[in-house]
Amino acid sequence: MSAEVYSTLVLMLGYFQTAWPLKRKPMPLPASRDAWPTVDVFIPTYNEPLSVVKPTIYAALALDYPAEKLSIHVLDDGRRPEFKAFCEEVGVNWTIRTHNRHAKAGNINEALKITNGEYLAIFDCDHIPPTRSFLQIGLGWFLRDKLLSMLQTPHHFFSADPFERNLGTFRKVPNEGELFYGLVQDGNDLWNATFFCGSCALLRRSMVEEIGGIAVETVTEDAHTALKLHRLGYTTAYLAIPQAADLATESLSGHIGQRIRWARGMTQIFRIDNPLTGKGLKFGQRLCYLNAMMHFLYGIPRLVFLTAPLSYLFFGAHVIEAAASTIAIYALPHMMHASITNSRMQRSFRHSFWAEVYESVLASYITAPTLLALTNPKLGKFNVTAKGGQIERNYFDWAISRPYLFLLLLNLIGFCVGIVQTTLLNLGWTVYNMLILGASVAAARERRQIRAVHRVAMEMPVMLKFSTGRTLACKTIDYSEGGVGVALPGAIQVPMHERVTVSLFRGDEEYAFPATVGFTAPGRVGLRFSAMTREQEYEFVKTTFARADAWTGWAEGRQQDTPLRGLSHVLSVGARGILGLFEHLYNDLRTSLKSRLVDVEKLKTKD
């Protein structure tokens, strides 16, 4: 009953939050650059390697903004000599502190004490501001709205997250975050309830300082900061235009760890600064914050739904005291209405039934932290999400999948019992749960990353100059920090390992980069960059990741959602997940038997 009430309440709050997205447009800055405000760009970092942070710094340097009004600060909580040397070489500020209290929030607050720009632009160190006009697009709203304290832009991920990579849905099915950044934040904007998300955002310094800096009381310092600003009557804004790209978490375990932190942090806010109480918030703001915090309490309701039919199959206890026909008459229309309505509202941002897969993967892990935070919000610690790693081999993560395997086994036993008892309603529900859990198991089947660096699909003009003097005007297929894929005109072939100069263009300017042919096929070639100078590294980021159109059209060509298509896709993924599990069990058993046979042969040889 409680799980059903929770689900209904979240459904209604979701309708309220997303029914009328504001769809705000950029507001231009004054024509005279002399009237533009001063800005400090903060790039916090702790344990990320320099190779991950360098493109972010280069892209910040490429921002089209008067140099005398822009100051870039790398906030290095790792206090690393190689970062200091690099910052000095490229001409940005290397900012450190003597301690690491309050993690990222404390890092930013210390930097506030030694900087004086009117506005702050904050980017996580693995975010690449993709457009030189980022500040021009966002700052105009601050000059128009004198109460505007923060403007947020989407977090766009150019690498596949564990769900997308392991389930093969990258750029085919909207990922877990697209609903929030594509629809929820736009809906929040109507109610002046846009959340600060920690990166890809602009903030007015005076208002941040008025609330005592970035919030440090919870591990989700960003959302809590926005709540404090709203309580003072200040406004926030959202521009649904991707202005930066980020690396997604590589492994499912890392992804779960990140979500645990978010769940615990939002629950902490619910306890210590509840949006339903206190002064300063309007009714719409309270509901938007309430829904955001209640969302992370889905752990127990999801576990209830995954095990509910088993209560009857194992113990004969009815979950719903009603005849099957009555349940069909009353429950099925509601389920169909919810599915059709959500599909209509979320069509471009989440496909039907995929939320159940995400929640089933996370439910077992966020339940304890959220309950703990409700009991004592001070318990727990801040964990940094690792980025920039690589999955070097295929493997099944048995450790992270234990909860799904246990639930799958329970439902399998219940299915066998249901066949004997011929209880069709509970049997059908159990089969559905098994397939949802099968998709969860499939997400734990880690796929090897073929490339050490992630490629971005994009078509743009490129000139290839060969050592023979021949030149070819082509178009790119994709690019990465390590190389570029190029579509060749006609039936032209390029020999392997040939040296090539790759010329990319930014306006009328041409930038050349040394490369060698590392892959060739009919109609295309893969070029691997040779060692580049610092200047060439900067120029490459400026002409690729920092292009104004780098992240536009990312979802073009993707199939729109319909409930039946979404259901079919999820169930097919679940079936493949169960079959894959049996395959892993068979392979592990065979490997174990082979190992034992080898040990036996060794013992015989010794004898």
Side-chain angles (χ1 to χ4, degrees):
M1 179 66 177
S2 297
E4 292 173 337
V5 171
Y6 168 85
S7 299
T8 302
L9 181 58
V10 169
L11 179 68
M12 294 297 106
L13 287 172
Y15 288 165
F16 174 85
Q17 193 174 25
T18 61
W20 305 281
L22 185 59
K23 299 181 180 179
R24 185 189 298 263
K25 302 299 181 184
M27 185 64 59
L29 284 168
S32 172
R33 290 196 167 203
D34 293 336
W36 293 8
T38 56
V39 181
D40 287 316
V41 176
F42 289 169
I43 305 173
T45 177
Y46 172 55
N47 60 357
E48 299 81 3
L50 184 59
S51 60
V52 169
V53 185
K54 276 200 300 185
T56 312
I57 299 172
Y58 285 142
L61 286 166
L63 288 167
D64 186 0
Y65 207 76
E68 67 277 8
K69 293 177 177 287
L70 182 66
S71 183
I72 300 169
H73 302 264
V74 176
L75 314 183
D76 182 16
D77 254 7
R79 295 176 284 279
R80 291 157 289 185
E82 66 271 23
F83 273 69
K84 179 182 180 182
F86 177 78
C87 290
E88 290 175 349
E89 186 174 348
V90 299
V92 301
N93 298 290
W94 181 64
T95 304
I96 62 172
R97 54 182 179 152
T98 58
H99 57 83
N100 292 81
R101 286 193 292 274
H102 302 304
K104 176 182 172 181
N107 197 4
I108 294 172
N109 288 338
E110 288 295 323
L112 285 172
K113 298 176 183 178
I114 59 172
T115 55
N116 54 18
E118 297 169 75
Y119 295 91
L120 318 172
I122 300 177
F123 294 99
D124 283 345
C125 63
D126 51 5
H127 262 113
I128 302 175
T131 170
R132 57 185 177 181
S133 60
F134 172 81
L135 295 176
Q136 297 180 38
I137 287 175
L139 282 170
W141 277 105
F142 286 91
L143 301 186
R144 175 173 175 171
D145 181 359
K146 299 302 181 183
L147 292 178
L148 182 60
S149 60
M150 186 278 301
L151 183 140
Q152 180 69 55
T153 63
H155 287 194
H156 173 76
F157 299 94
F158 67 91
S159 65
D161 69 24
F163 289 95
E164 294 172 309
R165 187 181 63 255
N166 298 340
L167 301 180
T169 61
F170 186 48
R171 300 192 70 178
K172 299 175 185 176
V173 174
N175 63 40
E176 191 184 4
E178 285 191 50
L179 178 64
F180 179 75
Y181 290 109
L183 182 61
V184 172
Q185 280 280 63
D186 223 351
N188 286 341
D189 199 13
L190 177 74
W191 304 105
N192 183 28
T194 298
F195 305 149
F196 173 38
C197 299
S199 181
C200 311
L202 287 162
L203 297 98
R204 197 187 301 260
R205 174 187 291 270
S206 60
M207 295 176 181
V208 173
E209 290 178 339
E210 188 176 349
I211 62 170
I214 304 298
V216 299
E217 297 90 340
T218 63
V219 296
T220 46
E221 73 288 336
D222 40 18
H224 199 182
T225 298
L227 178 59
K228 288 185 172 186
L229 291 168
H230 284 135
R231 285 198 184 280
L232 291 185
Y234 294 129
T235 63
T236 58
Y238 184 68
L239 279 180
I241 305 172
Q243 291 291 286
D246 188 12
L247 289 170
T249 48
E250 280 76 24
S251 67
L252 184 61
S253 59
H255 188 88
I256 290 173
Q258 183 187 65
R259 276 14 183 215
I260 289 173
R261 188 178 80 240
W262 293 357
R264 187 164 63 86
M266 295 303 284
T267 309
Q268 285 177 323
I269 299 173
F270 188 76
R271 267 297 312 275
I272 68 176
D273 198 3
N274 195 306
L276 293 180
T277 60
K279 299 179 180 179
L281 297 183
K282 296 181 179 178
F283 180 72
Q285 291 174 315
R286 294 183 192 276
L287 292 187
C288 289
Y289 274 105
L290 176 65
N291 192 36
M293 294 169 190
M294 286 190 64
H295 165 74
F296 287 103
L297 299 177
Y298 64 72
I300 291 179
R302 177 55 52 196
L303 293 175
V304 168
F305 292 135
L306 288 172
T307 57
L310 302 180
S311 62
Y312 178 79
L313 295 174
F314 290 155
F315 310 111
H318 289 279
V319 178
I320 304 174
E321 285 290 346
S325 58
T326 305
I327 295 173
I329 292 172
Y330 286 95
L332 288 181
H334 163 70
M335 295 170 65
M336 291 176 63
H337 150 265
S339 296
I340 293 170
T341 304
N342 278 326
S343 178
R344 181 72 178 271
M345 295 173 65
Q346 303 173 5
R347 183 167 295 173
S348 300
F349 309 108
R350 173 159 295 173
H351 286 182
S352 298
F353 300 97
W354 278 97
E356 299 192 32
V357 177
Y358 300 137
E359 290 182 5
S360 297
V361 168
L362 294 166
S364 301
Y365 289 99
I366 70 167
T367 297
T370 51
L371 291 178
L372 187 65
L374 282 173
T375 305
N376 188 342
K378 295 183 179 180
L379 294 178
K381 63 180 181 179
F382 185 92
N383 297 312
V384 176
T385 304
K387 300 283 187 72
Q390 183 180 2
I391 306 297
E392 297 181 349
R393 62 181 178 85
N394 293 331
Y395 70 95
F396 187 81
D397 196 333
W398 292 103
I400 205 71
S401 62
R402 284 173 186 166
Y404 332 138
L405 295 175
F406 176 71
L407 290 170
L408 182 58
L409 178 61
L410 280 181
N411 277 273
L412 180 59
I413 296 171
F415 174 74
C416 295
V417 173
I419 291 178
V420 175
Q421 296 180 351
T422 63
T423 54
L424 294 180
L425 182 63
N426 286 288
L427 187 64
W429 191 350
T430 302
V431 170
Y432 177 77
N433 283 345
M434 287 172 61
L435 291 171
I436 292 293
L437 289 166
S440 303
V441 169
R445 190 177 183 179
E446 297 286 8
R447 304 287 183 90
R448 180 173 71 94
Q449 292 175 226
I450 298 174
R451 295 187 176 96
V453 289
H454 299 281
R455 294 209 167 212
V456 177
M458 186 171 190
E459 185 179 289
M460 55 185 176
V462 61
M463 184 74 71
L464 304 184
K465 299 176 183 178
F466 298 90
S467 55
T468 59
R470 180 177 60 164
T471 61
L472 279 178
C474 311
K475 289 186 177 180
T476 63
I477 299 171
D478 53 32
Y479 63 83
S480 71
E481 297 166 52
V484 60
V486 176
L488 298 175
I492 294 175
Q493 294 186 349
V494 177
M496 284 286 291
H497 309 302
E498 182 169 350
R499 294 184 179 181
V500 182
T501 298
V502 179
S503 291
L504 297 174
F505 303 89
R506 186 183 185 190
D508 296 329
E509 298 178 331
E510 178 180 346
Y511 300 92
F513 311 98
T516 56
V517 177
F519 167 82
T520 183
R524 59 178 299 182
V525 64
L527 304 174
R528 185 181 300 112
F529 290 132
S530 306
M532 292 195 289
T533 64
R534 289 270 191 256
E535 184 178 2
Q536 287 175 325
E537 289 177 342
Y538 168 60
E539 290 171 347
F540 179 71
V541 170
K542 186 169 62 173
T543 54
T544 52
F545 292 101
R547 289 171 60 97
D549 57 349
W551 314 114
T552 58
W554 189 255
E556 286 181 2
R558 188 164 63 191
Q559 201 170 34
Q560 293 289 298
D561 175 58
T562 63
L564 289 179
R565 186 185 297 126
L567 177 63
S568 175
H569 192 184
V570 168
L571 296 186
S572 65
V573 169
R576 291 200 304 269
I578 293 173
L579 292 174
L581 174 61
F582 286 123
E583 181 184 341
H584 275 288
L585 288 170
Y586 171 75
N587 290 336
D588 286 357
L589 180 61
R590 188 174 62 174
T591 301
S592 178
L593 288 174
K594 283 184 178 180
S595 177
R596 290 188 179 185
L597 287 173
V598 170
D599 291 340
V600 169
E601 289 298 326
K602 287 181 178 179
L603 288 173
K604 287 181 178 179
T605 303
K606 287 181 180 180
D607 292 342

